Amino acid sequence: MQLGRLTLHQSDRALEAGFKAIRAELRVPTRFPNDVADAAASAASEGPRMPPGAERSTRRDARDLPLISIDPAGSLDIDQAVAARRVGGGYRLWYAIADPAAFVTPGGIIDAETHARGVTLYSPDRRTPLHPEVLSEKIASLFPGTDRPAVLWTFDLDADVGVRGVHVERATVRNRRAVGYREAQNLLDSGGADDALSAVATIGRVRAARQADRGAVDLRLPDQEIRHTPAGYVLHYDAPLAIEEWNAQISLLTGAAAAAMMLEIGTGVLRTLPRPEPATIDALREDARALGVTWSAETDYPELVRRLDVTKPTELALMYRCARALRGAGYMAFQEGAVHGDIDHYALAGPYAHVTAPLRRLSDRYANEILIASAEGRPVPEWVLAALDGLPDTVSGARRRAAALHRAQVDYMEAAVLEGRVGEIFSATVLENRGDSTVVQLDHPAVVTTVDTLAATPGSRVGLRLDLADPGARRLRFSLA
């Protein structure tokens, strides 16, 4: 089965009008209020400062570190930069995280606006940032060639990239170079990568293998993405490059270390995901048998997921069901050691905390303040403790809005892609039966939709006739060909 992609032959302007209408429907902010924008401009002109509770702290001068950032090409809101070198039989790894707390006054109008937004929202034609652009894309971003305040993590790793030591502190850093994912992958594939990029790839590759050994779940279900290219907007199934996974492993390493430190401190905010219920796993085993996919009694759920090949229709259908088995992700805040409930992130096989994207996710700024306070041997600031209990609901609500925005935009794009093709026949894989409807994935273009009254077995291949494509209503209707 081929993954599909299609470039629209409509004007970008018409599509962008549809994206704009969706944002209006979901009440996505269009701009920052004037007083918030003015406050951000003032904070940028004043430069970085220590937040309340950390007035006596200092920043390490770490501008000598050969940091690079690895992001989608053209990124301006750069949250992370990394450097690594071999030390003895292992590695020393530095991970610099943007420090917006150096510009955002707790309880001020910028802070209030970030609480209202929660996260950065993404549309195909624009971003709706958590912070005003003068902060998120300029003075707080780890943009290359500039001195920036940062939260600097230093890891000592053994030969198997296990953590031997970790330290976190405030620092001033300078990102030497921003590398896009495709450029980074090309450099690695051609042997032209420098020592820093090669070390990141090596550490990330080994960490990924260690994660599998711990029982982490590696869902490789293709995501539907809308990208703007020189040829127009493209709807496709996203297949991440290897460097994207390896780079993500550095963030996962940091989040695991942060969670361990928070649990030791007794104060923090964790990202959690519950273990699937035994009945859910039993149902998945029944699905595997029905689909003809071998799942031995000795193979657990995470290992099964790693073995599935989504290019095979029956295994794609089972992977889809496996993804749906992971439900209930959330955040858990705790203070003074009062931890209640399951602290683990099941898919990551242990406790985990979000700390590496403070320009784009509200909770990370607070999490980093907790860790820095502990590292400096001082109490967690009162403004952090006062906000902590409300963070899970704030960020979870913001992520739900982000998911609704993405789904609405994809639904609209799917209908726009197919608007002029009513009556055509499309090949598809059946993913799941849901009562009166069936979920299908077209080979081409990259469309996942439901078909009413389709009696077909998950994993089977079908031909579907397009009967309706209405972008305004974000609606498709197919029937069995």
Side-chain angles (χ1 to χ4, degrees):
M1 187 189 68
Q2 267 191 322
L3 299 183
R5 57 184 288 130
L6 181 72
T7 300
L8 288 183
H9 297 292
Q10 299 186 39
S11 72
D12 287 354
R13 184 174 299 177
L15 287 168
E16 288 167 358
F19 299 142
K20 181 179 179 181
I22 292 169
R23 288 193 293 271
E25 175 187 328
L26 297 179
R27 298 184 179 180
V28 174
T30 58
R31 54 183 293 275
F32 284 93
N34 289 339
D35 57 349
V36 175
D38 290 344
S42 177
S45 66
E46 292 172 4
R49 58 189 182 280
M50 292 295 176
E55 291 89 351
R56 297 184 180 180
S57 301
T58 59
R59 290 189 184 274
R60 169 187 167 188
D61 185 349
R63 290 174 293 177
D64 60 320
L65 294 178
L67 295 165
I68 62 171
S69 55
I70 310 171
D71 292 286
S75 294
L76 299 176
D77 53 341
I78 299 177
D79 273 301
Q80 313 107 9
V82 61
R85 70 167 180 240
R86 285 195 171 274
V87 177
Y91 291 90
R92 177 158 289 177
L93 171 71
W94 295 273
Y95 203 39
I97 309 300
D99 188 12
F103 304 97
V104 178
T105 300
I109 56 176
I110 302 174
D111 189 32
E113 184 69 16
T114 62
H115 277 261
R117 295 184 177 219
V119 297
T120 292
L121 299 173
Y122 294 90
S123 299
D125 56 331
R126 61 164 295 168
R127 292 185 317 106
T128 303
L130 174 63
H131 300 86
E133 290 88 338
V134 70
L135 300 181
S136 62
E137 296 183 0
K138 295 182 180 178
I139 197 67
S141 171
L142 301 184
F143 204 74
T146 58
D147 294 347
R148 291 290 185 258
V151 176
L152 181 64
W153 291 77
T154 304
F155 294 93
D156 286 318
L157 308 176
D158 60 26
D160 296 322
V161 299
V163 178
R164 293 188 306 197
V166 58
H167 180 65
V168 60
E169 61 190 325
R170 277 199 159 92
T172 300
V173 301
R174 175 173 283 233
N175 181 4
R176 303 292 180 86
R177 184 163 62 107
V179 186
Y181 285 136
R182 173 53 65 185
E183 178 189 358
Q185 190 67 58
N186 289 342
L187 288 169
L188 290 165
D189 292 344
S190 67
D194 59 18
D195 291 345
L197 181 56
S198 297
V200 168
T202 298
I203 293 169
R205 186 186 301 111
V206 178
R207 288 293 304 184
R210 287 174 61 94
Q211 183 169 292
D213 293 340
R214 292 198 313 273
V217 180
D218 181 19
L219 284 168
R220 287 162 285 106
L221 197 64
D223 288 328
Q224 289 174 283
E225 296 290 343
I226 305 169
R227 291 183 181 171
H228 193 226
T229 73
Y233 285 98
V234 175
L235 176 66
H236 69 135
Y237 297 125
D238 188 39
L241 299 169
I243 185 58
E244 294 181 61
E245 179 185 1
W246 300 333
N247 189 47
Q249 286 296 325
I250 308 300
S251 181
L252 294 176
L253 166 67
T254 307
M261 293 168 68
M262 288 176 181
L263 290 168
E264 183 177 350
I265 296 163
T267 298
V269 56
L270 303 178
R271 180 65 167 161
T272 61
L273 179 68
R275 174 184 295 271
E277 295 291 335
T280 300
I281 300 300
D282 290 343
L284 283 174
R285 286 189 176 276
E286 290 296 329
D287 290 335
R289 277 192 284 270
L291 291 166
V293 177
T294 301
W295 185 356
S296 68
E298 297 76 24
T299 301
D300 61 10
Y301 168 84
E303 185 177 351
L304 169 79
V305 170
R306 288 193 295 275
R307 291 180 178 181
L308 292 177
D309 181 353
V310 296
T311 66
K312 298 178 180 178
T314 54
E315 298 191 23
L316 171 64
L318 186 57
M319 179 71 88
Y320 185 83
R321 294 301 301 273
C322 287
R324 285 173 56 80
L326 297 182
R327 289 291 182 267
Y331 292 86
M332 173 194 292
F334 58 97
Q335 300 185 37
E336 299 180 352
V339 179
H340 303 287
D342 190 351
I343 64 173
D344 284 345
H345 191 295
Y346 174 71
L348 299 176
Y352 181 71
H354 276 154
V355 293
T356 62
L359 295 179
R360 292 171 284 164
R361 192 169 47 219
L362 174 67
S363 57
D364 298 38
R365 171 160 54 98
Y366 289 87
N368 281 322
E369 288 304 313
I370 294 168
L371 298 169
I372 292 171
S374 175
E376 293 179 349
R378 56 180 173 81
V380 176
E382 286 299 322
W383 60 271
V384 175
L385 298 177
L388 200 58
D389 289 345
L391 283 178
D393 287 344
T394 298
V395 182
S396 293
R399 290 176 70 94
R400 285 193 296 271
R401 180 162 68 166
L405 176 64
H406 176 73
R407 184 66 256 168
Q409 290 170 157
V410 169
D411 288 347
Y412 167 71
M413 187 77 172
E414 288 177 335
V417 165
L418 295 172
E419 186 176 16
R421 303 181 66 180
V422 171
E424 291 187 30
I425 308 298
F426 297 85
S427 297
T429 298
V430 177
L431 298 180
E432 183 182 32
N433 294 320
R434 295 183 187 171
D436 294 335
S437 65
T438 298
V439 182
V440 299
Q441 177 173 300
L442 303 191
D443 293 354
H444 181 86
V447 170
V448 177
T449 188
T450 58
V451 182
D452 296 336
T453 64
L454 172 64
T457 303
S460 63
R461 300 281 294 155
V462 295
L464 299 174
R465 178 182 294 104
L466 178 63
D467 300 320
L468 173 72
D470 184 346
R474 305 198 291 274
R475 185 183 173 204
L476 297 172
R477 188 173 70 238
F478 287 89
S479 59
L480 191 62

